[in-house]
Every structure is written in C-alpha cells, then in structure tokens.
C-alpha cells in the first residue's frame, strides 16, 4: 500500500500476513539421471568439482573386489599368495601389457585379503574376514562348498587386466596346482622377463568397489538412496530365489536319482582313459602311466546305486566333482614350464621396427600411438610427482 503523510511524502507498508517465504531446494540430479539409466546402472550421489579434477588422476587409491564360490579351494594358501604381492612390484607378468600406452609396470599393492560369508547368531548372512584354519568347513558344520567369497585388493593404481590375472593365479594356488611361491616367481622380472601363458579369470565377478579421493565429498539424497536400495533389494531377491531353485534341483537329483553301478564304473574308466591319453603328450612332466585298480562299488541286488553314492565313488577314483568347468579331465602344466609371451623389450622393438612411411594398417597405427603416448609425453620423475601431487588436492563437496 502507498499513502501520503502530513509532509506529503509517500510511505509504503507491507501486509505481513500475505508474505510467503520461498524455499529454494537443490535439484536431485542423481535421481534425475537414474530415471533415464538402465536398471543395471545407478548413480548414488554427486558433487561439483574444481576445473582441474580428474576422476582417474585425482584418486589416492582404488579397491577392487572379485567374487567367487569357495568350492574346495585352499583359502589359506591363497592368502599367502596375496601376502607375497604386498608392496611395490613390477606386475608385467600379471597383466596384459598395452605397450603403446604404458612403459612402467610397477604398481603399489597396498593389501589383499579374502572375505567369506559367515552366519551370525540372527541367521542373516554377513561377510567376515577369512581366518586361516585347517578344515574346509565352518565350526557350525555349514556347507562351505557353495560359500560365496571375494578377494578385496587395494592399490594406488592397477594395470590392464591385472586383477583378473591375479585372480587366475590365486585360483591355481587354491586348487593346489601351484605353490604360493609362484607369485614371487612371477614378480621376479629379471628371472622371468616373459609372461607364462595362462588365461584371465572371468570378468563378470569383478567389481571396482571404491575409489578414494583426498579432497572429494559426494552429496546424497534420502529419496534417491531409498529408491536405489529398493532396486537392489528387488534384484537381489530375484537372483537369490533363482539360486535356491537351482540348488534345490541339485539336492533333489542327489537324493532321488539312481543309476546303474556298471554305468558308473564305465564313466570312471572313460575319465581315466582320457586322462592317460592327455598325459602321454607330457610324459616328461607326469611320468610313465600307472595301472589303477578301481575299488568295488557296492550296489543293491539289481546293480543300482543312488546318485549320491555314485558321486562319492567318482570322486574317490578321479578326484572330480560336478563343477562349472565342463571338461571331465584338465591337465595342469606348471606355469614355469609353459610357453612364454614376448617380453616388453621385444614388443617395443617390434613396434619401432615399423617404418612410419612404409608401415601399413594396425602396425603403423601402433607406432603412432606409442610415439604419441610414450615418447612425446615422457616426463621426469620429478615432473610426474608434481603432477599427481597437484591432482590430489583437486576435488569438491556435494
């Protein structure tokens, strides 16, 4: 309202009853992004960051988790293998060398451990750090053959496929095919400059669990986290029920199916014959063939045994159990006696031997990438340290 007073000036008054306080709320960016993402990807939080921040170069450390089923793996031996990796080492024999982009294969391995599922008093599954013990079963007698475990590995940075190579070597150790000392052998680059041929572990169980930053704090909203947790709970319930249905099928076959004892013995003889055939190719490793006398398989008057009895007999004779690896017989050639890949120096020589003018296709392109990433961008240790020190202070707060 406007009115004139005695002096003729205009006064303005405000009707306080009509004033409305306007509250400005921040847009929930994480939830907005999740609305358009596939349900296999979820954003938890966000933060504005400084212009120089890099999600790759500003991180202090990275933590990976690799999930696996325990089966008959020797977790104690696998822990020893992980212990042998601690510290700064050259991991070129435990990665895939991308020589066009990397010329330093030293990495700092901060720690590695095995975590297993354990039963709490309230019967809910929880993760617990693995404590080495002499038995393969838990104190409460619970089934460990199908127990879910994971490696947790933390380091400053990792090489291409390094975690999958580490997992592959650890599985060999856990199966008793290699000693934990094989890790020390692989890390001895002077003695073993070429990587032995072995496959990567599967990529599906691998999770980049955490990246740690020195100057970054993400902001989260209750609504978004609630929705994400609901999504994850729903997916977990769907998959765990599917898992239980499959396990129920396995146990039903074990308890109800019956087979001919002659069929069981024929299967065992077939497995042993296949094993002998494969061993003949590596007689210097496995020695001469040894005759095997099979134990008696007791059956009923009709020559029938339960599938559970059959499985026990097959394991006694062949040391095999039904597992995800389909071939019935797999021979393990010791890593140090396998063929070797080309060394880093040989790879670089092959790249540089390509003439930029006459080279064709991928060979020419590899040399161009190498020159761009390695030769032209080469810096001193002091410059490299200064770069990462500067990147470490970049960040923001949500």
């Amino acid at each position: 309202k406007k009115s004139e007073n005695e002096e003729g000036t205009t006064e303005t008054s405000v009707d306080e009853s009509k004033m409305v306080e306007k509250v400005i709320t921040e847009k929930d960016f994480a939830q907005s992004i999740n609305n358009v993402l596939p349900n296999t990807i979820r954003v938890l939080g966000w933060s504005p960051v400084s212009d120089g921040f890099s999600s790759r170069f500003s991180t202090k450390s990275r933590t990976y988790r690799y999930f696996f089923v325990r089966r008959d793996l020797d977790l104690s031996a696998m822990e020893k293998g992980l212990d042998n990796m601690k510290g700064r080492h050259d991991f070129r024999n435990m990665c895939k060398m991308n020589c066009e982009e990397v010329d330093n294969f030293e990495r700092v391995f901060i720690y590695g451990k095995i975590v297993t599922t354990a039963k709490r008093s309230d019967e809910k599954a929880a993760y617990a750090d693995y404590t080495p013990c002499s038995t393969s079963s838990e104190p409460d007698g619970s089934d460990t053959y199908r127990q879910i475990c994971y490696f947790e590995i933390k380091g400053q940075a990792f090489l291409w496929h390094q975690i999958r190579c580490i997992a592959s070597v650890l599985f060999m150790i856990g199966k008793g095919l290699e000693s934990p000392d094989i890790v020390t052998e692989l890390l001895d680059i002077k003695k073993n400059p070429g990587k032995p041929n072995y496959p990567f572990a599967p990529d599906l169980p691998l999770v980049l669990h955490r990246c740690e930053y020195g100057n970054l704090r993400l902001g989260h909203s209750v609504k978004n986290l609630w929705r994400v947790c609901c999504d994850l709970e729903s997916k977990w319930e769907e998959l765990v029920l599917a898992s239980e249905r499959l396990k129920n099928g396995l146990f039903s076959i074990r308890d109800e199916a019956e087979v001919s004892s002659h069929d069981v013995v024929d299967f065992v003889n077939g497995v042993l014959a296949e094993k002998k055939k494969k061993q003949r190719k590596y007689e210097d490793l496995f020695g001469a063939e040894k005759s095997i006398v099979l134990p008696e398989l007791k059956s009923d008057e009709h020559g029938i045994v339960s599938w559970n009895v059959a499985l026990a007999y097959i394991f006694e004779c062949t040391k095999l159990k039904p597992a995800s690896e389909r071939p019935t017989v797999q021979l393990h050639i010791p890593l140090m006696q396998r063929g070797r890949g080309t060394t880093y120096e040989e790879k670089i020589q092959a790249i540089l031997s390509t003439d930029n003018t006459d080279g064709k296709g991928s060979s020419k392109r590899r040399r161009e990438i190498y020159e761009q990433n390695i030769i032209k961008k080469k810096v001193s240790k002091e410059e490299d340290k200064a770069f990462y020190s500067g990147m470490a202070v970049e960040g923001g707060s949500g």
Side-chain angles (χ1 to χ4, degrees), residues 82-95:
L82 281 169
D83 288 340
N84 290 338
M85 299 180 198
K86 291 180 180 177
R88 181 183 292 274
H89 301 284
D90 190 315
F91 282 92
R92 69 181 65 187
N93 286 335
M94 302 179 79
C95 74

Side-chain angles (χ1 to χ4, degrees), residues 106-158:
E106 284 192 356
R107 293 295 184 271
V108 176
F109 190 101
I110 298 174
Y111 75 78
K113 63 181 180 180
I114 297 177
V115 180
T116 66
T117 54
K119 287 289 185 178
R120 297 198 301 250
S121 57
D122 59 2
E123 292 302 311
K124 294 180 180 178
Y127 285 111
D129 289 358
Y130 170 69
T131 301
C133 59
S134 58
T135 62
S136 60
S137 61
E138 295 299 326
D140 62 359
S142 59
D143 177 26
T144 59
Y145 187 68
R146 294 178 179 82
Q147 187 178 39
I148 303 302
C149 312
Y150 63 80
F151 309 121
E152 181 170 292
I153 298 174
K154 182 177 181 179
Q156 286 185 346
F158 293 92

Side-chain angles (χ1 to χ4, degrees), residues 84 169 173 178-187 334-336:
N84 290 338
V169 172
I173 295 172
E178 297 286 350
S179 162
D181 294 334
I182 190 63
V183 172
T184 305
E185 291 284 331
L186 292 171
L187 296 177
L335 280 181
M336 291 296 105

Side-chain angles (χ1 to χ4, degrees), residues 32-85:
S32 298
I33 296 172
N34 285 335
N35 288 335
V36 296
L37 286 174
N39 58 13
T40 53
I41 304 173
R42 282 295 175 263
V43 176
L44 302 183
W46 73 283
S47 169
V49 294
S50 53
D51 292 340
F53 175 81
S54 166
S55 59
R56 177 184 178 186
F57 296 115
S58 296
T59 182
K60 292 169 58 180
S61 66
R62 297 168 175 84
T63 301
Y64 280 91
R65 287 180 174 178
Y66 191 96
F67 291 81
F68 63 95
V69 183
R70 184 170 178 174
R71 302 300 191 186
D72 293 319
L73 294 171
D74 185 345
L75 300 189
S76 179
M78 295 164 79
E79 281 275 12
K80 292 177 182 177
L82 281 169
D83 288 340
N84 290 338
M85 299 180 198

Side-chain angles (χ1 to χ4, degrees), residues 188-199:
D188 189 343
I189 305 305
K190 291 183 178 179
K191 184 178 178 181
N192 299 293
K195 176 187 174 184
N197 297 321
Y198 63 89

